[in-house]
Amino acid sequence: MTDAAQARAFLLSEVEALEAFDYVLVGPAGTPQHLVQVARRDDSVIEVSIPGRPPGVPELAIAERSALRDRGFTSPDPADPTKPWLREARDGADAVDALQHVLVEVFGEKADADLDIMHGNRRAAHEAERRLAAVRSRIEQVLTTMIGHAPTQDADGDYVLPIGDVHVMVAPRAAPGGPVVVRVFAITNVGISVVPELGLFLARLNFGLMFGRFALDSEHRSIWFDESLLGDQFRDEELRFTIEVVSSTADQWDDRLKQMFGGVTYQEALAAQDGRGAAPVKPGQGGYL
């Protein structure tokens, strides 16, 4: 598409046709990282945004972030490249103006560049977020009752419970179109020797367990113990029981695993603050909110 007037008319028709939760992604052909999204929220407000960029994709340059700020865009954390930059539009025409200004004035694309157009809908993701918020509220009530105060949350928003010599984490997740999953897990050991005997031992150990499982994170030389609750209708006593089982099982085996395969327990790693227990990817995180 090379005619500027035709391009604007087409983009305006695309934006004005958006219904609640619909979005359209626009970017120059051949430059996939230069994407601009226009979405209509459930309150009918149109929002223009530059999506956050995951690891591996070049992040926005300082000059680009400054140019976005000058044009009324804001980010919840400008230093975090995974966070979007966005601003509300008065109407469809204002949204198209903002989109074109970003492409040309911020990203330096030609005004007559061919554009790729992609459509989508966030209704399923919105529903997943709503269900996840309800589950979080229930979890916080249960944990507050268990420990006598509001639970601590880590950088991912997961709940951290120091129970005896174990740190138990409660991690609610929800996938668009899928059920809520509440993962309860603890890191038992870090810095262990990753040898074939360890995998065989954990497989045999798991076979004899009635509840939960051990998992090996070979990349980070860590052992985890976890269990999951499926759906948002779990009972409070189920969550309490799962936390207690994860805590007691991890406490029962961490010292034994250390004696057999080296390394240190996670509690010892935390006490030493040597960072060996901080695995960057948690189990079951991919594809979930």
Side-chain angles (χ1 to χ4, degrees):
M1 188 179 295
T2 56
D3 182 85
Q6 278 189 329
R8 178 176 175 76
F10 176 77
L11 290 172
L12 185 58
S13 67
E14 291 284 292
V15 170
E16 291 183 337
L18 295 175
E19 298 184 356
F21 301 111
D22 284 347
Y23 66 85
V24 59
L25 279 169
V26 181
T31 318
Q33 70 268 29
H34 288 175
L35 286 176
V36 183
Q37 176 179 283
V38 181
R40 190 180 296 276
R41 302 190 316 223
D42 58 335
D43 59 1
S44 295
V45 172
I46 298 175
E47 203 168 63
V48 183
S49 65
I50 291 77
R53 297 183 175 182
V57 177
E59 59 185 80
L60 290 169
I62 294 177
E64 291 173 329
R65 283 179 275 170
S66 178
L68 288 172
R69 191 179 292 109
D70 291 344
R71 287 157 180 79
F73 287 82
T74 61
S75 171
D77 184 355
D80 185 348
T82 67
K83 300 297 183 184
W85 287 77
L86 52 88
R87 81 166 180 86
E88 294 181 357
R90 295 185 300 275
D91 51 29
D94 184 41
V96 173
D97 285 341
L99 183 157
Q100 292 184 313
H101 288 160
V102 169
L103 291 178
V104 175
E105 300 169 7
V106 178
F107 291 146
E109 298 289 345
K110 294 181 178 179
D112 59 354
D114 291 339
L115 300 176
D116 287 332
I117 310 291
M118 294 165 282
H119 299 85
N121 182 283
R122 288 197 73 257
R123 187 177 297 277
H126 175 79
E127 279 299 306
E129 292 167 358
R130 185 187 61 79
R131 289 185 289 115
L132 185 59
V135 167
R136 282 187 169 279
S137 178
R138 288 188 55 207
I139 290 174
E140 290 175 8
Q141 292 176 17
V142 172
L143 300 187
T144 299
T145 300
M146 288 182 66
I147 62 179
H149 56 81
T152 300
Q153 291 179 258
D154 66 8
D156 296 323
D158 297 334
Y159 304 100
V160 184
L161 287 81
I163 302 177
D165 291 332
V166 175
H167 275 67
V168 176
M169 303 193 71
V170 181
R173 302 280 187 264
V180 172
V181 177
V182 181
R183 302 206 61 161
V184 182
F185 59 88
I187 306 174
T188 62
N189 301 78
V190 296
I192 48 91
S193 299
V194 180
V195 293
E197 291 79 9
L198 173 58
L200 180 61
F201 180 82
L202 293 180
R204 288 174 172 169
L205 183 57
N206 283 339
F207 185 75
L209 293 173
M210 293 182 61
F211 200 80
R213 63 168 184 170
F214 283 93
L216 172 63
D217 179 0
S218 58
E219 182 180 355
H220 303 103
R221 300 173 61 198
S222 303
I223 299 175
W224 307 66
F225 183 77
D226 77 294
E227 183 56 279
S228 299
L229 296 174
L230 182 64
D232 50 8
Q233 298 301 317
F234 61 85
R235 293 172 296 174
D236 293 354
E237 54 267 32
E238 288 181 282
L239 177 58
R240 285 193 292 267
F241 174 78
T242 303
I243 292 171
E244 290 166 1
V245 168
V246 169
S247 171
S248 61
T249 306
D251 190 37
Q252 177 185 2
W253 282 99
D254 58 357
D255 286 317
R256 299 188 201 182
L257 291 167
K258 170 187 169 182
Q259 293 171 1
M260 297 173 68
F261 300 103
V264 295
T265 67
Y266 184 63
Q267 193 71 11
E268 290 170 339
L270 289 178
Q273 295 185 340
D274 61 6
R276 287 186 292 170
V281 179
K282 296 177 182 177
Q285 203 165 23
Y288 279 75
L289 302 175

